[in-house]
Amino acid sequence: MTLAAADLRGPNQPKNVLAKISIPWIVVFAHLFIILLFPLLALLLQAIVLNPAQFWALATTPIALSTYNITFGTATVAAIVNMLAGTLTAWVLVRYQFPGKRFLDGIIDLPFALPTAVAGITLATIYNQSGWIGQFFAPFGIQIAFSRVGVAIAMIFVSLPFVVRTVQPVLQEVEPTIEEAAWSLGASRFQTFWKVILPPIIPAILTGTAQAFARAVGEFGSVVLVAANVPFQDLIAPVLVFQRLEGADIPGATVIGLVLLLISLVLLLIINLLQAWGRRYDV
């Protein structure tokens, strides 16, 4: 708008601020507010109707503390396993040619498309005491399905693609000639990996691990079927929230849900700081 046009509009005419905001910005903010921020705000408002003593009492019951420990402890183990196995899988898919590579590359995304309830039934079938895999551990007294180990297996299953799909494109950008140059200068394979390959892919590994951890913490559908859901043994916090809702204990479910949210935000903030540190090695 020109200065002359502003003078003709007069001092009391309101400026059309919204006209200066582009449609993409409006769509983005509307989408984020409706889909992400409003539900979080509703959860927060539902929880703050309680006084601090009531909130603390509901958040720190023995069964709630146990579910926090099982949920975040098992999700951490699942994220570490996927960080190692997912990085190795991405490496094999990028660096090697072998029969069935396209098939293997395709089924990596299967946990994205498979309904979590179907994943839970499948895992419970093969890991129970008489299942294809579970029968080999049963003679040693190791129970996988309907135990905390089964919870970990389910979390690893649903969060595997995050690390692979995050690390894979970064590895494709690392030229094999760099590795060959390191070998020609006398570096061992371990030294080449540690000092040449690993630094550029650290941010991608941390990003994928953070996403895998967040996915594991929020998993419900497969875990509820592959675990026995026994308190103080393998009951996770999302299942406890569901049980509270089934019992019409809305305040209890809200408080536990809010605690999950706050702990997850703090952990993701820490991981984001680690990612910022890792970007020092960006190529």
Side-chain angles (χ1 to χ4, degrees), residues 180-187:
E180 296 170 359
W183 296 338
S184 66
L185 294 174

Side-chain angles (χ1 to χ4, degrees), residues 227-238:
N229 303 309
V230 177
F232 306 104
Q233 292 185 18
D234 62 353
L235 181 65
I236 62 171

